[in-house]
Amino acid sequence: MHALSAFVALAALAAAPFTNAAPAKSGRERLYARSLVSGNGIKARFEFWGRTDGTPTFTKIEVLSGLFKDSPHYQGPYGYHIHTNPVGKERDCAKALAHLDPLHVTESLICDPAFPQYCQEGDLSGKHGKFNGTDSGAIDTFGYHDDYLRFFPEDLSILGRSIVIHAANKTRLACGDIISTLDGTASHGFKPTYKPSKFVKHYPKVAPTNPPQVVTPFVGEKFPSDETLHNLPFPLANPAIPLHKALNVKLVTKTQTVWVNGTKTKAKLPIEKK
């Protein structure tokens, strides 16, 4: 699919949040983005394939070097996440700010792969497993489908973002921008243009503050009891809607009745609408 027509289809879908209609043609046009991540001797390649028919986004990853099992400088296992902001040519990982988290799950709620709808969208290693270091520092190519990783709409888009690889102590070790011909961040030869995304135009200026207490309400395959959820020290985020149930969604803020520390209260929370 030509890059311009793909972008037009992407923009058209993003402008129609209450329909699940795919663009003309087959409805299975490919959306593609990638990121070359580097820093501290680490080199890794991430690729993302999306479809305009609600098929889960496919992510392919290859670590070329630098993620050692026994490093004198940093320790694994290594987390990796999509962050909200690009890091630019300088690869200043601090510029990435926080994880992509449109539903305000926060880093204080530990992601459980059994309940990905309650994970941060950008918490790839939380949903799919961290990198374990190897003797060579390389990890063979592997991939997975993610039903909650979206190219559109803008608020939830992975376009124009960045990827950061972290040590076990959360030190940012390596990073790189997610680039695509869809939004002008990659040339037709798929070289980074270092131009602002034409699709994602609104970025946070500071990282949000996470609640001080870390909680793990989701453990294993069984959904938590009401008692567990009602006694959380902060409101539980609304669950994300999977791609197979809604190709496109609209992110809105709604005042809701929530439970905090065993007490009902009101809070404004983001929620996805079909």
Side-chain angles (χ1 to χ4, degrees):
M1 187 179 187
H2 191 277
L4 179 59
S5 60
F7 177 73
V8 170
L10 182 70
L13 282 167
F18 292 104
T19 71
N20 289 337
K25 302 184 183 179
S26 69
R28 289 183 59 82
E29 285 77 11
R30 277 192 171 190
L31 307 171
Y32 177 73
R34 76 182 183 204
S35 178
L36 300 179
V37 174
S38 64
N40 289 292
I42 297 167
K43 291 184 179 179
R45 178 186 179 100
F46 293 74
E47 295 180 272
F48 303 92
W49 282 272
R51 295 283 193 179
T52 56
D53 64 352
T55 302
T57 299
F58 182 71
T59 301
K60 186 172 79 171
I61 303 170
E62 180 183 14
V63 178
L64 304 172
S65 63
L67 284 185
F68 294 102
K69 182 165 57 178
D70 297 309
S71 169
H73 305 295
Y74 41 83
Q75 299 296 319
Y78 304 93
Y80 61 98
H81 314 92
I82 297 174
H83 285 240
T84 56
N85 292 29
V87 296
K89 186 183 297 186
E90 304 81 11
R91 295 183 186 270
D92 181 354
C93 297
K95 289 184 177 179
L97 296 187
H99 303 166
L100 180 61
D101 183 23
L103 288 170
H104 296 184
V105 174
T106 82
E107 293 183 37
S108 295
L109 189 143
I110 302 301
C111 171
D112 187 306
F115 299 98
Q117 67 270 38
Y118 288 100
C119 297
Q120 295 176 303
E121 181 183 357
D123 188 1
L124 300 183
S125 57
K127 290 182 282 186
H128 305 286
K130 295 181 179 181
F131 296 138
N132 290 311
T134 63
D135 291 335
S136 68
I139 298 174
D140 291 340
T141 302
F142 68 97
Y144 48 76
H145 290 90
D146 192 316
D147 210 9
Y148 300 91
L149 210 56
R150 293 180 175 271
F151 277 77
F152 54 88
E154 178 187 352
D155 292 335
L156 290 87
S157 180
I158 66 172
L159 296 174
R161 314 292 184 180
S162 62
I163 294 176
V164 178
I165 296 176
H166 303 254
N169 65 1
K170 297 190 176 182
T171 299
R172 299 184 181 198
L173 300 175
C175 56
D177 289 340
I178 297 175
I179 63 172
S180 177
T181 56
L182 290 167
D183 66 344
T185 53
S187 67
H188 292 296
F190 238 94
K191 300 293 184 182
T193 62
Y194 299 111
K195 294 180 180 179
S197 172
K198 295 179 181 178
F199 186 67
V200 174
K201 300 179 180 180
H202 301 92
Y203 292 95
K205 297 187 183 302
V206 296
T209 301
N210 290 301
Q213 187 174 342
V214 176
V215 297
T216 55
F218 299 97
V219 180
E221 299 293 329
K222 187 176 180 181
F223 195 79
S225 66
D226 286 345
E227 181 181 3
T228 296
L229 296 179
H230 290 175
N231 284 282
L232 292 176
F234 51 86
L236 179 67
N238 288 299
I241 299 173
L243 278 160
H244 75 269
K245 288 189 175 180
L247 172 62
N248 204 2
V249 295
K250 182 177 181 179
L251 191 69
V252 299
T253 300
K254 182 179 178 181
T255 300
Q256 299 171 259
T257 299
V258 297
W259 288 87
V260 178
N261 291 323
T263 302
K264 279 187 177 181
T265 185
K266 296 285 187 180
K268 289 184 177 180
L269 298 176
I271 186 172
E272 294 174 359
K273 293 287 190 180
K274 294 183 182 180

